[in-house]
Each structure stands twice: as structure tokens, then as C-alpha cells.
Amino acid sequence: MFDPVISGLPAFASFFATGIVLLGVFFALYVLITPYNELQLIRAGNEAAAVSLGGAVIGFALPLAVSVAVSHNLYAMIGWGVIAGIVQLLVFVVARIVLPRINESIPQGRMASGIFLALLSIAVGILNAGCIA
């Protein structure tokens, strides 16, 4: 009864571990490209930073999950994960160009900016996931 689950555990573990590593790399890169320190802002109770960063993580995790579902090997999953990460990083860069004051708004805790950036990241992540599928 549990044979398919047990026999699938090694594949699950490898895809899951790879996904966690990709998520960690994306998280580190995203925090590096932003001109403010999200983690410090979040520790200080800045909700706009938490929402914005959370949206970026969800926007990356959505296509990453689809890449796991459609990939038949880890290399394809990693490739799609790298593309998804690049797309999400570009979302932030474009948002900074279109809304240059967002660099000030997030550290000041302006929720409208945090929500907008989060929803933009999630929307692009959904589109990205659909393109992978």
C-alpha cells in the first residue's frame, strides 16, 4: 500500500532539498539587490518589508513548484528555477525603475508599496509558472 510512497522518497528528497537550496539562493540574491535591509526592517516590525519580501518568495516558489511537477530530472528543475529567479529579480528592478520612490517607501513602512510589490511579484510568478507548465 505504501510501496509507491516509499520507493518515491529518494526522488522526493532530492527535489525537495534542491528546491530549498534554490529558494535560499534566491532569497539571498533578492536581499542583496534591494537597497534596504529587509531582514533588519522586518525585525523592527516593518510590515511593508515583510509583505514585499514574502510576495517575492511566493512569486519565486510558484514557478519553482511547477518546475518540480513538470521536470523529469533535477537539471531541468534547476534550469527552470534559475530562470524563475532571474525573472523575479527583474521584477524588482523594473518596479524600481517605474516607481523610483519605492526604495524609500518600503523602509518607511508604507504598506501600499509593500502590497503592490508583493502582488506584482506573485502575478509575474503565476505567469511564469504557467509558461513553464
Side-chain angles (χ1 to χ4, degrees), residues 92-116:
F92 179 75
V93 171
V94 170
R96 274 183 71 183
I97 292 168
V98 174
L99 300 168
R101 290 196 163 274
I102 207 158
N103 293 343
E104 302 163 9
S105 298
I106 300 291
Q108 291 172 354
R110 294 187 180 148
M111 280 299 289
S113 295
I115 292 168
F116 175 77

Side-chain angles (χ1 to χ4, degrees), residues 1 8 12 44 77 87-88 111 118 129 132:
M1 182 163 122
F12 165 82
M77 179 220 172
V87 168
Q88 282 300 316
M111 280 299 289
I132 292 171

Side-chain angles (χ1 to χ4, degrees), residues 30 32 96 121 126:
Y30 188 86
L32 281 174
R96 274 183 71 183
S121 296
I126 291 169

Side-chain angles (χ1 to χ4, degrees), residues 26 30 49-62 88 114-115 117-123 125:
F26 169 76
Y30 188 86
V51 169
S52 172
L53 181 59
V57 170
I58 291 169
F60 175 71
L62 287 165
Q88 282 300 316
I115 292 168
L117 195 53
L119 293 178
L120 184 62
S121 296
I122 293 169

Side-chain angles (χ1 to χ4, degrees), residues 15-101:
F15 276 91
F16 188 77
T18 303
I20 293 295
V21 168
L22 287 169
L23 189 60
V25 169
F26 169 76
F27 187 89
L29 289 173
Y30 188 86
V31 169
L32 281 174
I33 71 159
T34 57
Y36 41 83
N37 187 334
E38 281 96 345
L39 299 177
Q40 184 179 4
L41 291 170
I42 292 168
R43 285 186 193 108
N46 186 315
E47 294 167 343
V51 169
S52 172
L53 181 59
V57 170
I58 291 169
F60 175 71
L62 287 165
L64 186 61
V66 170
S67 76
V68 170
V70 302
S71 297
H72 299 294
N73 61 59
L74 284 175
Y75 298 114
M77 179 220 172
I78 292 168
W80 286 120
V82 168
I83 290 170
I86 291 169
V87 168
Q88 282 300 316
L89 295 174
L90 287 173
V91 166
F92 179 75
V93 171
V94 170
R96 274 183 71 183
I97 292 168
V98 174
L99 300 168
R101 290 196 163 274

